[in-house]
Amino acid sequence: MPAPIDESQVRHIAHLARIKLTDAEVAAFGAQFANILKHFETLSEVNTDGVEPTAHPLPITNVLRDDEPVEPIGVEAALANAPARETPYFKVPKVLDQETA
Amino acid sequence: MSAVDQVTAALDRIKRLDPQLKCILRTQDAAAPIKSGDGLLQGVPIAIKDNICTHDGITTCGSKMLANYRSPYDAHVVERLRAAGAVIVAKTNCDEFAMGSSTEHSAFFPTRNPWNPECVPGGTSGGSAAAVAARLVPYALGSDTGGSVRQPAALCGVCGLKPTYGRVSRYGLVAHASSLDQIGPIATDVRGIARMLQVIAGHDPRDSTSAHEPVPDYLAALDQSTGKLCIGVPREYFGDGLDPEIRRAVEAAIETYKSLGATIREVSLPHSKYTIACYYIISTAEASSNLARFDGVRYGHRTANPRDYIDVYSSSRAEGFGPEVKRRIMLGTYALSSGYYDAYYSKALKVRTLIKRDFNEAFSQCDILLSPTSPTPAFKIGEKSDDPLAMYLADIYTTSISLAGIPAISIPCGLTASRLPIGLQLMATHFGEVRLLQAAHQYQSATAFHTATPPVCAE
């Protein structure tokens, strides 16, 4: 099992999860994660050789339906909760800057 | 009482008692005309956990992230309830995105236990359980990922059912952990549970995990004989950490079943000690993926002055999510990240197989399994807020059932000396709700624990 995580790892995970953390949060989460992961690591005691994983409690597979068109939700309803909009679009800051565009 | 009177009475009671309990986030517009009809729930006022979408008003999931979110549609269960004549009178408080065990992780306020306002109501459907316990509404809906209907039902002294995975459509339930989430009813007695399940169960093409199993007549089944029940008692659920008063109450319930003619058999669920680790790895991994949708772009909170487009995500999520949600997204991200995937996530999926096998083995020896719902009665508000692992460990008896996908119900089986409710958990095989409800109803026909009301009801 991997070693408990340090602050640089907490920052790395936060970056992967796209959550900006304060220094105080990094310290607090680091300590809590060490504790929680130690508990998670009890799973290493279990012999799982030859055991198939269960991703899902029921034996169901892909579900297909007939390809029949249905009434869409509509632009207005889809944009109604948008924090910023320029009809008929969601508005976001520039993704590509001048040089890379 | 007429339909209009029932709804007015519920709203009056909410107005009078909820300021001290804080179960309700908001009442729904009562101006909508109440139709007459002969639906199974005609004119019955119902409260809905605020992570289940209603097209009228706001659906917050107990989060600042969705403080102003207006769902464009009703959840499948809400459609079903309305079609059966029910009136959605309120949305209830819950832990943010249904993550927690106490309703203290609501971004708005903690809910108080109607039996003792210094205690938590349990969680995450704490608002729904407390609202039914205080008789604000006869029925409520919650959602149960690892015990979030059953544990608050136990701590508030009411009944709460987690149906079989796939029994009830999750269309319109804000996703937390998709291989575990189920919607379940809360009521004061098993008959109420059966009535609600009757309305909400059944196939829905909009949830691809929704089962095609036929829906039996649960209400009629309650009055039919259960036959001779064989009840299994998993010895691992009576180990260290179980409060002695709860142990005594559950042992007394076993005696009650014996006196009703049931056969009692000790069984073993040998992988029980790995349940919490397995559950929290899988549920946080799935949550980290599900909650990626909250990106500040299409709905939900967006930070005021983002530096660039990445900052739209990172700062919006930093500002919109509370600590428990951040903690779980990050734990899940870690468990799925390169280098750790095999040791955590992949391992947990295999242990899940072993936990499922334990249940299959146990159910080859009996019809119903019986255990406590929670190892302790309601704890004090603030008691576990600084120790997330301690809070996770409180889910010891409920999470295994969710991993196996089987149905389970919590019903009241007594009070502690300090007058806090104790919950008895019964479990059945996949789609075994008829047997489960019959067994629970049989207990309630012979006992009166479910009729006890909290002190707040005397006010």
PDB file of all heavy atoms in Angstrom, chain A residues 9 17-18 20 25 32 41 43 45-46 48 52 54 57-58 81 91, chain B residues 70 165 274 297 302 311 315 317-318 326-327 340 344 347 349 353 356:
ATOM      1  N   GLN A   9       1.166  16.308  -2.109  1.00  0.00           N
ATOM      2  CA  GLN A   9       0.194  15.393  -2.734  1.00  0.00           C
ATOM      3  C   GLN A   9      -1.229  15.918  -2.584  1.00  0.00           C
ATOM      4  O   GLN A   9      -2.039  15.779  -3.495  1.00  0.00           O
ATOM      5  CB  GLN A   9       0.306  13.999  -2.113  1.00  0.00           C
ATOM      6  CG  GLN A   9       1.461  13.200  -2.683  1.00  0.00           C
ATOM      7  CD  GLN A   9       1.610  11.897  -1.950  1.00  0.00           C
ATOM      8  OE1 GLN A   9       1.937  11.896  -0.758  1.00  0.00           O
ATOM      9  NE2 GLN A   9       1.366  10.795  -2.621  1.00  0.00           N
ATOM     10  N   ALA A  17      -8.701  17.551  -8.993  1.00  0.00           N
ATOM     11  CA  ALA A  17     -10.138  17.659  -8.715  1.00  0.00           C
ATOM     12  C   ALA A  17     -10.658  19.054  -9.029  1.00  0.00           C
ATOM     13  O   ALA A  17     -11.861  19.296  -8.879  1.00  0.00           O
ATOM     14  CB  ALA A  17     -10.412  17.302  -7.257  1.00  0.00           C
ATOM     15  N   ARG A  18      -9.764  19.968  -9.447  1.00  0.00           N
ATOM     16  CA  ARG A  18     -10.153  21.344  -9.731  1.00  0.00           C
ATOM     17  C   ARG A  18     -10.878  21.991  -8.555  1.00  0.00           C
ATOM     18  O   ARG A  18     -11.994  22.485  -8.677  1.00  0.00           O
ATOM     19  CB  ARG A  18     -11.034  21.421 -10.984  1.00  0.00           C
ATOM     20  CG  ARG A  18     -10.361  20.944 -12.262  1.00  0.00           C
ATOM     21  CD  ARG A  18      -9.338  21.955 -12.760  1.00  0.00           C
ATOM     22  NE  ARG A  18      -8.825  21.600 -14.086  1.00  0.00           N
ATOM     23  CZ  ARG A  18      -7.712  20.888 -14.304  1.00  0.00           C
ATOM     24  NH1 ARG A  18      -7.006  20.445 -13.270  1.00  0.00           N
ATOM     25  NH2 ARG A  18      -7.315  20.641 -15.537  1.00  0.00           N
ATOM     26  N   LYS A  20      -9.706  24.745  -5.596  1.00  0.00           N
ATOM     27  CA  LYS A  20      -8.656  25.604  -5.055  1.00  0.00           C
ATOM     28  C   LYS A  20      -8.706  25.528  -3.537  1.00  0.00           C
ATOM     29  O   LYS A  20      -9.773  25.705  -2.940  1.00  0.00           O
ATOM     30  CB  LYS A  20      -8.896  27.054  -5.514  1.00  0.00           C
ATOM     31  CG  LYS A  20      -7.735  27.989  -5.215  1.00  0.00           C
ATOM     32  CD  LYS A  20      -8.096  29.424  -5.560  1.00  0.00           C
ATOM     33  CE  LYS A  20      -7.601  29.794  -6.950  1.00  0.00           C
ATOM     34  NZ  LYS A  20      -7.956  31.202  -7.285  1.00  0.00           N
ATOM     35  N   GLU A  25      -6.645  24.689   4.614  1.00  0.00           N
ATOM     36  CA  GLU A  25      -7.353  23.487   4.154  1.00  0.00           C
ATOM     37  C   GLU A  25      -6.363  22.375   3.797  1.00  0.00           C
ATOM     38  O   GLU A  25      -6.611  21.205   4.091  1.00  0.00           O
ATOM     39  CB  GLU A  25      -8.222  23.810   2.938  1.00  0.00           C
ATOM     40  CG  GLU A  25      -9.519  24.533   3.268  1.00  0.00           C
ATOM     41  CD  GLU A  25     -10.334  24.880   2.016  1.00  0.00           C
ATOM     42  OE1 GLU A  25      -9.743  25.418   1.038  1.00  0.00           O
ATOM     43  OE2 GLU A  25     -11.543  24.630   2.015  1.00  0.00           O
ATOM     44  N   GLN A  32      -6.293  14.644   7.954  1.00  0.00           N
ATOM     45  CA  GLN A  32      -7.483  13.777   7.916  1.00  0.00           C
ATOM     46  C   GLN A  32      -7.306  12.638   6.920  1.00  0.00           C
ATOM     47  O   GLN A  32      -7.683  11.497   7.187  1.00  0.00           O
ATOM     48  CB  GLN A  32      -8.712  14.599   7.548  1.00  0.00           C
ATOM     49  CG  GLN A  32      -9.137  15.565   8.647  1.00  0.00           C
ATOM     50  CD  GLN A  32     -10.114  16.610   8.157  1.00  0.00           C
ATOM     51  OE1 GLN A  32     -10.369  16.722   6.956  1.00  0.00           O
ATOM     52  NE2 GLN A  32     -10.655  17.387   9.081  1.00  0.00           N
ATOM     53  N   GLU A  41      -6.564   1.210   4.041  1.00  0.00           N
ATOM     54  CA  GLU A  41      -5.529   0.221   3.744  1.00  0.00           C
ATOM     55  C   GLU A  41      -5.765  -1.125   4.420  1.00  0.00           C
ATOM     56  O   GLU A  41      -5.093  -2.113   4.090  1.00  0.00           O
ATOM     57  CB  GLU A  41      -4.149   0.800   4.068  1.00  0.00           C
ATOM     58  CG  GLU A  41      -3.720   1.726   2.941  1.00  0.00           C
ATOM     59  CD  GLU A  41      -2.657   2.731   3.321  1.00  0.00           C
ATOM     60  OE1 GLU A  41      -1.930   2.479   4.305  1.00  0.00           O
ATOM     61  OE2 GLU A  41      -2.570   3.767   2.628  1.00  0.00           O
ATOM     62  N   LEU A  43      -7.960  -2.966   3.647  1.00  0.00           N
ATOM     63  CA  LEU A  43      -8.388  -3.852   2.551  1.00  0.00           C
ATOM     64  C   LEU A  43      -7.230  -4.715   2.050  1.00  0.00           C
ATOM     65  O   LEU A  43      -7.463  -5.782   1.472  1.00  0.00           O
ATOM     66  CB  LEU A  43      -8.950  -3.050   1.374  1.00  0.00           C
ATOM     67  CG  LEU A  43     -10.279  -2.311   1.565  1.00  0.00           C
ATOM     68  CD1 LEU A  43     -10.828  -1.867   0.214  1.00  0.00           C
ATOM     69  CD2 LEU A  43     -11.302  -3.191   2.273  1.00  0.00           C
ATOM     70  N   GLU A  45      -5.417  -6.521   3.647  1.00  0.00           N
ATOM     71  CA  GLU A  45      -5.410  -7.819   4.351  1.00  0.00           C
ATOM     72  C   GLU A  45      -6.251  -8.875   3.624  1.00  0.00           C
ATOM     73  O   GLU A  45      -6.095 -10.070   3.881  1.00  0.00           O
ATOM     74  CB  GLU A  45      -6.052  -7.686   5.744  1.00  0.00           C
ATOM     75  CG  GLU A  45      -5.391  -6.709   6.688  1.00  0.00           C
ATOM     76  CD  GLU A  45      -6.322  -6.392   7.872  1.00  0.00           C
ATOM     77  OE1 GLU A  45      -7.274  -7.160   8.159  1.00  0.00           O
ATOM     78  OE2 GLU A  45      -6.077  -5.334   8.496  1.00  0.00           O
ATOM     79  N   VAL A  46      -7.161  -8.432   2.774  1.00  0.00           N
ATOM     80  CA  VAL A  46      -8.125  -9.367   2.178  1.00  0.00           C
ATOM     81  C   VAL A  46      -7.509 -10.041   0.952  1.00  0.00           C
ATOM     82  O   VAL A  46      -6.973  -9.356   0.073  1.00  0.00           O
ATOM     83  CB  VAL A  46      -9.420  -8.638   1.757  1.00  0.00           C
ATOM     84  CG1 VAL A  46     -10.465  -9.627   1.257  1.00  0.00           C
ATOM     85  CG2 VAL A  46      -9.967  -7.804   2.896  1.00  0.00           C
ATOM     86  N   THR A  48      -7.822 -11.304  -2.443  1.00  0.00           N
ATOM     87  CA  THR A  48      -8.785 -11.153  -3.537  1.00  0.00           C
ATOM     88  C   THR A  48      -8.272 -11.823  -4.812  1.00  0.00           C
ATOM     89  O   THR A  48      -8.729 -11.503  -5.907  1.00  0.00           O
ATOM     90  CB  THR A  48      -9.077  -9.658  -3.817  1.00  0.00           C
ATOM     91  OG1 THR A  48      -7.839  -8.977  -4.001  1.00  0.00           O
ATOM     92  CG2 THR A  48      -9.865  -9.016  -2.686  1.00  0.00           C
ATOM     93  N   GLU A  52     -13.495 -11.618  -9.037  1.00  0.00           N
ATOM     94  CA  GLU A  52     -13.924 -10.642 -10.052  1.00  0.00           C
ATOM     95  C   GLU A  52     -14.401  -9.364  -9.361  1.00  0.00           C
ATOM     96  O   GLU A  52     -15.034  -9.433  -8.314  1.00  0.00           O
ATOM     97  CB  GLU A  52     -15.086 -11.216 -10.872  1.00  0.00           C
ATOM     98  CG  GLU A  52     -14.684 -12.296 -11.854  1.00  0.00           C
ATOM     99  CD  GLU A  52     -13.767 -11.767 -12.957  1.00  0.00           C
ATOM    100  OE1 GLU A  52     -14.086 -10.705 -13.530  1.00  0.00           O
ATOM    101  OE2 GLU A  52     -12.730 -12.400 -13.223  1.00  0.00           O
ATOM    102  N   THR A  54     -16.834  -6.148  -8.616  1.00  0.00           N
ATOM    103  CA  THR A  54     -18.254  -5.829  -8.761  1.00  0.00           C
ATOM    104  C   THR A  54     -18.369  -4.313  -8.922  1.00  0.00           C
ATOM    105  O   THR A  54     -18.102  -3.572  -7.986  1.00  0.00           O
ATOM    106  CB  THR A  54     -19.052  -6.256  -7.506  1.00  0.00           C
ATOM    107  OG1 THR A  54     -19.000  -7.669  -7.405  1.00  0.00           O
ATOM    108  CG2 THR A  54     -20.517  -5.824  -7.594  1.00  0.00           C
ATOM    109  N   PRO A  57     -24.365  -3.601  -8.418  1.00  0.00           N
ATOM    110  CA  PRO A  57     -24.968  -4.685  -7.652  1.00  0.00           C
ATOM    111  C   PRO A  57     -25.863  -5.637  -8.436  1.00  0.00           C
ATOM    112  O   PRO A  57     -26.127  -6.741  -7.980  1.00  0.00           O
ATOM    113  CB  PRO A  57     -25.777  -3.963  -6.566  1.00  0.00           C
ATOM    114  CG  PRO A  57     -25.971  -2.587  -7.053  1.00  0.00           C
ATOM    115  CD  PRO A  57     -24.842  -2.281  -7.972  1.00  0.00           C
ATOM    116  N   LEU A  58     -26.351  -5.230  -9.592  1.00  0.00           N
ATOM    117  CA  LEU A  58     -27.259  -6.091 -10.351  1.00  0.00           C
ATOM    118  C   LEU A  58     -26.606  -6.522 -11.661  1.00  0.00           C
ATOM    119  O   LEU A  58     -25.801  -5.782 -12.222  1.00  0.00           O
ATOM    120  CB  LEU A  58     -28.568  -5.355 -10.676  1.00  0.00           C
ATOM    121  CG  LEU A  58     -29.457  -4.958  -9.499  1.00  0.00           C
ATOM    122  CD1 LEU A  58     -30.662  -4.171 -10.003  1.00  0.00           C
ATOM    123  CD2 LEU A  58     -29.913  -6.175  -8.727  1.00  0.00           C
ATOM    124  N   ASN A  81     -30.536  28.272 -15.896  1.00  0.00           N
ATOM    125  CA  ASN A  81     -29.707  28.289 -14.687  1.00  0.00           C
ATOM    126  C   ASN A  81     -28.269  28.744 -14.956  1.00  0.00           C
ATOM    127  O   ASN A  81     -27.426  28.674 -14.060  1.00  0.00           O
ATOM    128  CB  ASN A  81     -29.682  26.889 -14.070  1.00  0.00           C
ATOM    129  CG  ASN A  81     -30.961  26.553 -13.322  1.00  0.00           C
ATOM    130  OD1 ASN A  81     -31.244  27.128 -12.273  1.00  0.00           O
ATOM    131  ND2 ASN A  81     -31.757  25.657 -13.879  1.00  0.00           N
ATOM    132  N   LYS A  91     -21.824  31.382 -21.464  1.00  0.00           N
ATOM    133  CA  LYS A  91     -20.684  32.280 -21.635  1.00  0.00           C
ATOM    134  C   LYS A  91     -19.578  31.903 -20.648  1.00  0.00           C
ATOM    135  O   LYS A  91     -19.830  31.737 -19.455  1.00  0.00           O
ATOM    136  CB  LYS A  91     -21.142  33.714 -21.374  1.00  0.00           C
ATOM    137  CG  LYS A  91     -20.175  34.758 -21.848  1.00  0.00           C
ATOM    138  CD  LYS A  91     -20.796  36.136 -21.709  1.00  0.00           C
ATOM    139  CE  LYS A  91     -19.789  37.212 -22.075  1.00  0.00           C
ATOM    140  NZ  LYS A  91     -20.359  38.558 -21.869  1.00  0.00           N
TER     141      LYS A  91
ATOM    142  N   ARG B  70     -32.927  26.013 -10.087  1.00  0.00           N
ATOM    143  CA  ARG B  70     -34.327  25.674 -10.366  1.00  0.00           C
ATOM    144  C   ARG B  70     -34.344  24.555 -11.387  1.00  0.00           C
ATOM    145  O   ARG B  70     -33.950  24.745 -12.546  1.00  0.00           O
ATOM    146  CB  ARG B  70     -35.078  26.889 -10.920  1.00  0.00           C
ATOM    147  CG  ARG B  70     -35.009  28.107 -10.008  1.00  0.00           C
ATOM    148  CD  ARG B  70     -35.852  29.249 -10.550  1.00  0.00           C
ATOM    149  NE  ARG B  70     -37.245  29.091 -10.172  1.00  0.00           N
ATOM    150  CZ  ARG B  70     -37.768  29.563  -9.054  1.00  0.00           C
ATOM    151  NH1 ARG B  70     -37.046  30.254  -8.208  1.00  0.00           N
ATOM    152  NH2 ARG B  70     -39.039  29.376  -8.786  1.00  0.00           N
ATOM    153  N   TYR B 165     -31.608  -1.946  -5.097  1.00  0.00           N
ATOM    154  CA  TYR B 165     -31.024  -1.126  -6.166  1.00  0.00           C
ATOM    155  C   TYR B 165     -31.767  -1.412  -7.476  1.00  0.00           C
ATOM    156  O   TYR B 165     -31.919  -2.579  -7.850  1.00  0.00           O
ATOM    157  CB  TYR B 165     -29.537  -1.486  -6.315  1.00  0.00           C
ATOM    158  CG  TYR B 165     -28.805  -0.635  -7.305  1.00  0.00           C
ATOM    159  CD1 TYR B 165     -28.346   0.627  -6.944  1.00  0.00           C
ATOM    160  CD2 TYR B 165     -28.570  -1.088  -8.603  1.00  0.00           C
ATOM    161  CE1 TYR B 165     -27.677   1.411  -7.861  1.00  0.00           C
ATOM    162  CE2 TYR B 165     -27.899  -0.298  -9.517  1.00  0.00           C
ATOM    163  CZ  TYR B 165     -27.457   0.950  -9.140  1.00  0.00           C
ATOM    164  OH  TYR B 165     -26.795   1.735 -10.046  1.00  0.00           O
ATOM    165  N   TYR B 274     -14.503  -4.992   6.706  1.00  0.00           N
ATOM    166  CA  TYR B 274     -13.937  -4.237   5.571  1.00  0.00           C
ATOM    167  C   TYR B 274     -14.969  -3.349   4.871  1.00  0.00           C
ATOM    168  O   TYR B 274     -14.669  -2.688   3.879  1.00  0.00           O
ATOM    169  CB  TYR B 274     -13.307  -5.204   4.564  1.00  0.00           C
ATOM    170  CG  TYR B 274     -12.261  -6.075   5.211  1.00  0.00           C
ATOM    171  CD1 TYR B 274     -12.476  -7.427   5.433  1.00  0.00           C
ATOM    172  CD2 TYR B 274     -11.064  -5.506   5.652  1.00  0.00           C
ATOM    173  CE1 TYR B 274     -11.532  -8.211   6.070  1.00  0.00           C
ATOM    174  CE2 TYR B 274     -10.107  -6.274   6.289  1.00  0.00           C
ATOM    175  CZ  TYR B 274     -10.350  -7.626   6.495  1.00  0.00           C
ATOM    176  OH  TYR B 274      -9.404  -8.378   7.135  1.00  0.00           O
ATOM    177  N   VAL B 297     -20.231  26.457 -15.104  1.00  0.00           N
ATOM    178  CA  VAL B 297     -20.520  26.868 -16.479  1.00  0.00           C
ATOM    179  C   VAL B 297     -22.016  26.825 -16.799  1.00  0.00           C
ATOM    180  O   VAL B 297     -22.589  27.827 -17.219  1.00  0.00           O
ATOM    181  CB  VAL B 297     -19.753  25.987 -17.496  1.00  0.00           C
ATOM    182  CG1 VAL B 297     -20.175  26.301 -18.937  1.00  0.00           C
ATOM    183  CG2 VAL B 297     -18.252  26.202 -17.331  1.00  0.00           C
ATOM    184  N   ARG B 302     -20.917  30.332  -9.748  1.00  0.00           N
ATOM    185  CA  ARG B 302     -19.704  30.689 -10.478  1.00  0.00           C
ATOM    186  C   ARG B 302     -18.974  31.797  -9.724  1.00  0.00           C
ATOM    187  O   ARG B 302     -19.590  32.763  -9.268  1.00  0.00           O
ATOM    188  CB  ARG B 302     -19.998  31.163 -11.894  1.00  0.00           C
ATOM    189  CG  ARG B 302     -18.694  31.505 -12.636  1.00  0.00           C
ATOM    190  CD  ARG B 302     -18.902  32.161 -13.964  1.00  0.00           C
ATOM    191  NE  ARG B 302     -19.418  31.208 -14.942  1.00  0.00           N
ATOM    192  CZ  ARG B 302     -19.448  31.480 -16.258  1.00  0.00           C
ATOM    193  NH1 ARG B 302     -18.992  32.627 -16.719  1.00  0.00           N
ATOM    194  NH2 ARG B 302     -19.957  30.595 -17.083  1.00  0.00           N
ATOM    195  N   ASP B 311      -9.702  28.701 -13.628  1.00  0.00           N
ATOM    196  CA  ASP B 311     -10.105  29.297 -12.354  1.00  0.00           C
ATOM    197  C   ASP B 311     -11.626  29.327 -12.203  1.00  0.00           C
ATOM    198  O   ASP B 311     -12.137  29.352 -11.087  1.00  0.00           O
ATOM    199  CB  ASP B 311      -9.517  30.713 -12.251  1.00  0.00           C
ATOM    200  CG  ASP B 311      -9.534  31.247 -10.830  1.00  0.00           C
ATOM    201  OD1 ASP B 311      -9.273  30.445  -9.903  1.00  0.00           O
ATOM    202  OD2 ASP B 311      -9.832  32.434 -10.643  1.00  0.00           O
ATOM    203  N   SER B 315     -12.093  27.905  -8.577  1.00  0.00           N
ATOM    204  CA  SER B 315     -12.599  28.840  -7.568  1.00  0.00           C
ATOM    205  C   SER B 315     -14.097  28.656  -7.351  1.00  0.00           C
ATOM    206  O   SER B 315     -14.579  28.787  -6.224  1.00  0.00           O
ATOM    207  CB  SER B 315     -12.286  30.287  -7.959  1.00  0.00           C
ATOM    208  OG  SER B 315     -10.907  30.515  -7.827  1.00  0.00           O
ATOM    209  N   ARG B 317     -15.703  25.874  -7.497  1.00  0.00           N
ATOM    210  CA  ARG B 317     -15.847  24.674  -6.662  1.00  0.00           C
ATOM    211  C   ARG B 317     -15.347  24.934  -5.243  1.00  0.00           C
ATOM    212  O   ARG B 317     -15.932  24.443  -4.272  1.00  0.00           O
ATOM    213  CB  ARG B 317     -15.112  23.501  -7.319  1.00  0.00           C
ATOM    214  CG  ARG B 317     -15.848  23.011  -8.576  1.00  0.00           C
ATOM    215  CD  ARG B 317     -14.968  22.222  -9.534  1.00  0.00           C
ATOM    216  NE  ARG B 317     -14.538  20.926  -9.063  1.00  0.00           N
ATOM    217  CZ  ARG B 317     -15.290  19.821  -9.072  1.00  0.00           C
ATOM    218  NH1 ARG B 317     -16.522  19.879  -9.515  1.00  0.00           N
ATOM    219  NH2 ARG B 317     -14.805  18.670  -8.645  1.00  0.00           N
ATOM    220  N   ALA B 318     -14.264  25.745  -5.114  1.00  0.00           N
ATOM    221  CA  ALA B 318     -13.752  26.092  -3.782  1.00  0.00           C
ATOM    222  C   ALA B 318     -14.812  26.864  -2.993  1.00  0.00           C
ATOM    223  O   ALA B 318     -14.996  26.641  -1.805  1.00  0.00           O
ATOM    224  CB  ALA B 318     -12.476  26.918  -3.904  1.00  0.00           C
ATOM    225  N   LYS B 326     -15.677  18.580  -0.433  1.00  0.00           N
ATOM    226  CA  LYS B 326     -14.302  18.690  -0.944  1.00  0.00           C
ATOM    227  C   LYS B 326     -13.485  17.469  -0.537  1.00  0.00           C
ATOM    228  O   LYS B 326     -12.741  16.887  -1.335  1.00  0.00           O
ATOM    229  CB  LYS B 326     -13.622  19.944  -0.372  1.00  0.00           C
ATOM    230  CG  LYS B 326     -14.167  21.242  -0.917  1.00  0.00           C
ATOM    231  CD  LYS B 326     -13.453  22.435  -0.274  1.00  0.00           C
ATOM    232  CE  LYS B 326     -14.149  23.729  -0.681  1.00  0.00           C
ATOM    233  NZ  LYS B 326     -13.583  24.898   0.018  1.00  0.00           N
ATOM    234  N   ARG B 327     -13.641  17.081   0.747  1.00  0.00           N
ATOM    235  CA  ARG B 327     -12.896  15.934   1.271  1.00  0.00           C
ATOM    236  C   ARG B 327     -13.210  14.683   0.447  1.00  0.00           C
ATOM    237  O   ARG B 327     -12.331  13.951   0.029  1.00  0.00           O
ATOM    238  CB  ARG B 327     -13.314  15.741   2.728  1.00  0.00           C
ATOM    239  CG  ARG B 327     -12.458  14.836   3.524  1.00  0.00           C
ATOM    240  CD  ARG B 327     -12.447  15.238   5.017  1.00  0.00           C
ATOM    241  NE  ARG B 327     -13.755  15.561   5.542  1.00  0.00           N
ATOM    242  CZ  ARG B 327     -13.999  16.663   6.275  1.00  0.00           C
ATOM    243  NH1 ARG B 327     -13.050  17.532   6.549  1.00  0.00           N
ATOM    244  NH2 ARG B 327     -15.206  16.884   6.719  1.00  0.00           N
ATOM    245  N   TYR B 340      -2.500   4.655  -7.804  1.00  0.00           N
ATOM    246  CA  TYR B 340      -3.243   4.254  -6.618  1.00  0.00           C
ATOM    247  C   TYR B 340      -4.517   3.484  -6.959  1.00  0.00           C
ATOM    248  O   TYR B 340      -5.162   2.907  -6.109  1.00  0.00           O
ATOM    249  CB  TYR B 340      -3.598   5.491  -5.772  1.00  0.00           C
ATOM    250  CG  TYR B 340      -2.368   6.242  -5.362  1.00  0.00           C
ATOM    251  CD1 TYR B 340      -1.970   7.390  -6.038  1.00  0.00           C
ATOM    252  CD2 TYR B 340      -1.569   5.775  -4.318  1.00  0.00           C
ATOM    253  CE1 TYR B 340      -0.816   8.053  -5.693  1.00  0.00           C
ATOM    254  CE2 TYR B 340      -0.413   6.432  -3.961  1.00  0.00           C
ATOM    255  CZ  TYR B 340      -0.036   7.574  -4.653  1.00  0.00           C
ATOM    256  OH  TYR B 340       1.106   8.220  -4.303  1.00  0.00           O
ATOM    257  N   TYR B 344      -6.467   0.900  -4.326  1.00  0.00           N
ATOM    258  CA  TYR B 344      -7.686   1.361  -3.661  1.00  0.00           C
ATOM    259  C   TYR B 344      -8.946   0.951  -4.437  1.00  0.00           C
ATOM    260  O   TYR B 344      -9.695   0.076  -4.011  1.00  0.00           O
ATOM    261  CB  TYR B 344      -7.668   2.890  -3.474  1.00  0.00           C
ATOM    262  CG  TYR B 344      -6.651   3.340  -2.463  1.00  0.00           C
ATOM    263  CD1 TYR B 344      -5.435   3.895  -2.862  1.00  0.00           C
ATOM    264  CD2 TYR B 344      -6.893   3.211  -1.098  1.00  0.00           C
ATOM    265  CE1 TYR B 344      -4.493   4.303  -1.928  1.00  0.00           C
ATOM    266  CE2 TYR B 344      -5.962   3.612  -0.156  1.00  0.00           C
ATOM    267  CZ  TYR B 344      -4.766   4.163  -0.579  1.00  0.00           C
ATOM    268  OH  TYR B 344      -3.830   4.555   0.352  1.00  0.00           O
ATOM    269  N   LYS B 347      -9.176  -2.737  -5.815  1.00  0.00           N
ATOM    270  CA  LYS B 347      -9.234  -3.640  -4.659  1.00  0.00           C
ATOM    271  C   LYS B 347     -10.632  -3.596  -4.021  1.00  0.00           C
ATOM    272  O   LYS B 347     -11.210  -4.637  -3.680  1.00  0.00           O
ATOM    273  CB  LYS B 347      -8.172  -3.216  -3.643  1.00  0.00           C
ATOM    274  CG  LYS B 347      -8.076  -4.111  -2.434  1.00  0.00           C
ATOM    275  CD  LYS B 347      -7.314  -5.390  -2.762  1.00  0.00           C
ATOM    276  CE  LYS B 347      -7.179  -6.272  -1.529  1.00  0.00           C
ATOM    277  NZ  LYS B 347      -6.404  -7.486  -1.820  1.00  0.00           N
ATOM    278  N   LEU B 349     -13.469  -2.884  -5.367  1.00  0.00           N
ATOM    279  CA  LEU B 349     -14.478  -3.561  -6.193  1.00  0.00           C
ATOM    280  C   LEU B 349     -14.454  -5.073  -5.974  1.00  0.00           C
ATOM    281  O   LEU B 349     -15.489  -5.740  -6.007  1.00  0.00           O
ATOM    282  CB  LEU B 349     -14.267  -3.261  -7.681  1.00  0.00           C
ATOM    283  CG  LEU B 349     -14.473  -1.824  -8.166  1.00  0.00           C
ATOM    284  CD1 LEU B 349     -14.361  -1.754  -9.685  1.00  0.00           C
ATOM    285  CD2 LEU B 349     -15.809  -1.253  -7.722  1.00  0.00           C
ATOM    286  N   THR B 353     -17.335  -7.735  -4.146  1.00  0.00           N
ATOM    287  CA  THR B 353     -17.786  -9.060  -4.573  1.00  0.00           C
ATOM    288  C   THR B 353     -17.867 -10.010  -3.383  1.00  0.00           C
ATOM    289  O   THR B 353     -18.834 -10.761  -3.232  1.00  0.00           O
ATOM    290  CB  THR B 353     -16.807  -9.636  -5.628  1.00  0.00           C
ATOM    291  OG1 THR B 353     -16.722  -8.703  -6.711  1.00  0.00           O
ATOM    292  CG2 THR B 353     -17.252 -10.993  -6.141  1.00  0.00           C
ATOM    293  N   LYS B 356     -20.818  -9.139  -1.170  1.00  0.00           N
ATOM    294  CA  LYS B 356     -22.045  -9.647  -1.803  1.00  0.00           C
ATOM    295  C   LYS B 356     -22.201 -11.148  -1.577  1.00  0.00           C
ATOM    296  O   LYS B 356     -23.286 -11.638  -1.261  1.00  0.00           O
ATOM    297  CB  LYS B 356     -21.995  -9.396  -3.324  1.00  0.00           C
ATOM    298  CG  LYS B 356     -22.751  -8.180  -3.791  1.00  0.00           C
ATOM    299  CD  LYS B 356     -22.793  -8.126  -5.312  1.00  0.00           C
ATOM    300  CE  LYS B 356     -23.916  -8.982  -5.884  1.00  0.00           C
ATOM    301  NZ  LYS B 356     -24.062  -8.796  -7.353  1.00  0.00           N
TER     302      LYS B 356
END
